[in-house]
Amino acid sequence: LYQLEWTRMKRVPPRHVNATPLVMINAPAALRAEAGAQAGFVDDMSEVAFGDDLTPLILFVDTRTQDCFTDLVAHLQAGLRAARGRKLLLTIAHAAGEWSDLLQGPRLVAPAEHPNLTARLLALSPNISMDALRGVLGALEDQSGTFALRGAYLWRKRLVQVPAPAGSPFKAGTHLVLGGTGGIGQHVVRALAEAAPSRILVVSRKSGADSLA
């Protein structure tokens, strides 16, 4: 069995000198004003001037609304078209919000479909300074994954193996299985049926009840 856990990585220096060109998309107004000439600013990834070297980008996403998912997908599509196969490192920055978990899907799928893209999620304070932001990016280097800055420390969310509980985790009763006619779903349904006397309700958009008989 596995579970997601936050593990502390390293302390981020209060000031970080980094000459790497930085391009920010949808950056907060306060950060734009502080950064000045230290970074380039655009409102859409299609406006980025991609070079032959790895281009580091920071896309700020508002996770207070469910629209953050479609916004991220639209930016990814535009940026990948504009990059035309050139390498890019995308940091998807957000303040902790109700819908932040929606960003995980595009963050994982887009690099799998486009090998030139490295993407990572980074939870930040909405009031982060330019020095702190450059410190975090310097500490991350070119790593992918899910990260958060909490105080002076950088944290990483990772999948950790945990001991399996003794005995069966399933109890007698009524179990609802969504998508239960697919390959994994059928294994779950059979495991439930074998583990304990249960009523099993299988819901799926596809037919396939005969394969569960």
Side-chain angles (χ1 to χ4, degrees), residues 105-121:
R107 200 277 297 178
L108 292 167
V109 172
E113 296 179 344
H114 302 273
N116 60 310
L117 171 65
T118 300
R120 59 199 180 197
L121 287 180

Side-chain angles (χ1 to χ4, degrees), residues 24-74:
M24 299 193 208
I25 304 107
N26 284 346
L31 198 57
R32 287 187 183 225
E34 181 189 350
Q38 297 182 57
F41 300 95
V42 296
D43 295 322
D44 190 277
M45 282 182 67
S46 62
E47 303 171 19
V48 176
F50 292 95
D52 293 330
D53 297 327
L54 179 70
T55 303
L57 308 173
I58 305 179
L59 171 64
F60 291 85
V61 180
D62 185 356
T63 55
R64 292 173 298 178
T65 71
Q66 199 170 356
D67 293 338
C68 64
F69 175 85
T70 52
D71 289 345
L72 174 57
V73 170

Side-chain angles (χ1 to χ4, degrees), residues 147-206:
F147 306 91
L149 179 64
R150 297 288 179 260
Y153 287 91
L154 188 62
W155 294 72
R156 180 172 191 166
K157 184 183 279 189
R158 62 178 65 205
L159 209 56
V160 178
Q161 189 170 11
V162 296
S168 172
F170 304 123
K171 297 180 180 179
T174 301
H175 300 277
L176 175 63
V177 182
L178 303 179
T181 58
I184 296 177
Q186 291 185 34
H187 286 290
V188 172
V189 170
R190 290 194 178 95
L192 285 170
E194 294 169 1
S198 306
R199 294 181 61 200
I200 304 172
L201 305 179
V202 179
V203 179
S204 177
R205 291 180 296 177
K206 298 183 294 183

Side-chain angles (χ1 to χ4, degrees), residues 4 20 40 60 88 96 113 126 134 144 192:
L4 287 169
T20 303
F60 291 85
L88 61 152
E113 296 179 344
R134 281 203 174 273
S144 62
L192 285 170

Side-chain angles (χ1 to χ4, degrees), residues 60-149:
F60 291 85
V61 180
D62 185 356
T63 55
R64 292 173 298 178
T65 71
Q66 199 170 356
D67 293 338
C68 64
F69 175 85
T70 52
D71 289 345
L72 174 57
V73 170
H75 278 292
L76 282 170
Q77 291 174 338
L80 288 165
R81 283 195 300 268
R84 296 182 179 179
R86 297 184 182 92
K87 292 184 179 180
L88 61 152
L89 172 62
L90 177 64
T91 301
I92 305 163
H94 64 94
E98 181 182 359
W99 300 99
S100 57
D101 286 343
L102 290 179
L103 306 181
Q104 285 286 0
R107 200 277 297 178
L108 292 167
V109 172
E113 296 179 344
H114 302 273
N116 60 310
L117 171 65
T118 300
R120 59 199 180 197
L121 287 180
L122 177 60
L124 298 169
S125 163
N127 302 317
I128 190 170
S129 67
M130 191 64 193
D131 279 341
L133 180 58
R134 281 203 174 273
V136 173
L137 296 178
L140 285 176
E141 298 177 337
D142 60 352
Q143 298 181 74
S144 62
T146 300
F147 306 91
L149 179 64

